[in-house]
Amino acid sequence: MIKITAFISLAILLQTYCASANIVAPAVSKHVDVGGVKLYIVCYGEGTPSIVVNSGFGGAGSQGGWEEVIRHMSPSNQICLYDRANLGKSEPFSGHYDVGVMAKQLGILLKKAQVQAPHILVGHSYGSYPIKLFNHAFPERVAAILLVDPTQYDMFNNAIAKWAPEQDTYSASFTQRMQDELSGWHNPDQNPEKVDLKASAQLIKDSRDFGDTPYVLLWSKNGVWRGGDAPVDWHPKAWQRMKTMYAEAIDKMHSLSSDKKIVFANTPQHNIFQYEPESVVKELRYLLDKLNQAPEKN
């Protein structure tokens, strides 16, 4: 009897804690076989369009951080987070791995987990990469896109293209930096996701833009780099090449859709969803309003 009473008391305490902490219980939490690897997915709430969050480089949805966004959006829409292969609660993947593979695995994952399309795709930082390939492969399943302080689509390619050892003369420390970056570019084992960055850069370049899909680009307060003069530890020509390519990459990010909105958060923090979740919620609701007002396509 004492054990039963203690169990009931513990259950009430946990219930009270969850309510006071505004914790939303997941409706779905499981591993799904997407063909050679099991990926973890967790979903909250119900309602369409579903919201699918893609984490930054080396980050996993299971690591948390989106709780406030989930709390605001789950009463009206299903919102899902997942772990890409080699991360978090998902299994390691042994085959060739690039953003195209990521997108295909996500497509299978959402189907098997019965996450109803169309989706609002949310990408934080490098999470913008699988979104572009998912949109390329499954445009009919994409209702809208929100990129949160994203990695520019040309970033990995440009990070390598800034080097020109046949033209420039580098110091020993700068040469070592170049060799380290080239190693990560050519060897997937040198990055946390074990993804082929070189193949991924080409896939990003060859994939379609967002067309007329509603698109919001939410930068942090200082999300767009302003450049400036080269620091003393940088080769001036490499710095200038990097500045030029970065400006071009930002222009491309700002012109991915004919139906776009570009906004800046008040926080300078990269993880806007943690430091200023209300901005993410605001833009998700903006996209939902647009979708509700749009005429149905025949």
Side-chain angles (χ1 to χ4, degrees):
M1 183 64 184
I2 294 174
K3 288 183 177 179
I4 294 173
T5 303
F7 177 79
I8 293 172
S9 298
L10 178 60
I12 291 171
L13 283 170
L14 286 172
Q15 210 171 34
T16 303
Y17 169 76
C18 288
S20 64
N22 292 317
I23 295 172
V24 180
V28 174
S29 176
K30 61 182 179 180
H31 288 85
V32 177
D33 189 334
V34 298
V37 63
K38 290 182 180 178
L39 302 187
Y40 175 75
I41 185 168
V42 58
C43 298
Y44 304 82
E46 297 180 340
T48 56
S50 56
I51 299 165
V52 180
V53 177
N54 295 260
S55 301
F57 199 52
S62 63
Q63 293 173 335
W66 290 83
E67 288 80 8
E68 277 299 293
V69 177
I70 291 167
R71 185 171 70 84
H72 282 89
M73 301 311 302
S74 59
S76 59
N77 295 80
Q78 184 180 43
I79 177 167
C80 300
L81 302 91
Y82 73 105
D83 297 350
R84 292 187 289 271
N86 305 319
L87 297 173
K89 296 181 180 180
S90 289
E91 293 181 342
F93 183 62
S94 58
H96 171 80
Y97 193 50
D98 57 38
V99 289
V101 175
M102 282 182 197
K104 290 176 183 176
Q105 289 179 346
L106 177 57
I108 297 170
L109 175 65
L110 296 177
K111 283 275 191 182
K112 285 192 171 183
Q114 297 182 334
V115 179
Q116 189 173 345
H119 314 298
I120 295 179
L121 300 179
V122 180
H124 171 246
S125 193
Y126 172 79
S128 62
Y129 274 56
I131 283 179
K132 195 163 193 285
L133 268 295
F134 187 96
N135 178 75
H136 181 81
F138 313 107
E140 72 286 352
R141 294 165 63 177
V142 181
I145 295 169
L146 168 61
L147 300 186
V148 181
D149 213 29
T151 299
Q152 313 89 50
Y153 283 131
D154 290 332
M155 189 187 82
F156 290 111
N157 185 64
N158 291 348
I160 300 305
K162 71 175 178 285
W163 302 108
E166 70 286 352
Q167 300 176 27
D168 305 338
T169 301
Y170 300 143
S171 65
S173 62
F174 214 59
T175 298
Q176 184 60 54
R177 179 174 182 170
M178 177 185 68
Q179 290 172 347
D180 290 343
E181 290 190 7
L182 288 172
S183 175
W185 174 252
H186 291 296
N187 185 359
D189 288 335
Q190 297 298 313
N191 66 71
E193 298 204 25
K194 302 188 185 304
V195 60
D196 188 325
L197 298 178
K198 189 173 184 180
S200 295
Q202 189 61 46
L203 287 168
I204 287 290
K205 182 178 179 181
D206 295 340
S207 61
R208 74 178 81 214
D209 288 345
F210 301 154
D212 60 356
T213 298
Y215 165 52
V216 173
L217 204 169
L218 172 60
W219 293 111
S220 68
K221 183 178 180 179
N222 304 318
V224 177
W225 179 56
R226 303 301 178 189
D229 295 333
V232 293
D233 59 338
W234 268 83
H235 192 284
K237 290 184 179 179
W239 180 264
Q240 186 57 47
R241 281 191 291 269
M242 186 171 66
K243 280 176 56 177
T244 300
M245 292 185 296
Y246 177 85
E248 292 172 353
I250 293 297
D251 286 344
K252 290 179 183 177
M253 295 296 289
H254 287 181
S255 60
L256 286 167
S257 170
S258 60
D259 186 354
K260 66 179 182 293
K261 178 184 179 184
I262 301 167
V263 289
F264 287 80
N266 294 314
T267 179
Q269 299 292 335
H270 182 48
N271 290 357
I272 301 172
F273 57 93
Q274 288 180 299
Y275 290 89
E276 198 178 309
E278 62 272 18
S279 289
V280 177
V281 170
K282 178 182 177 182
E283 299 313 326
L284 282 170
R285 288 180 173 160
Y286 163 80
L287 288 171
L288 286 167
D289 286 343
K290 278 192 73 71
L291 295 172
N292 288 332
Q293 295 167 10
E296 290 190 14
K297 295 182 180 180
N298 295 326

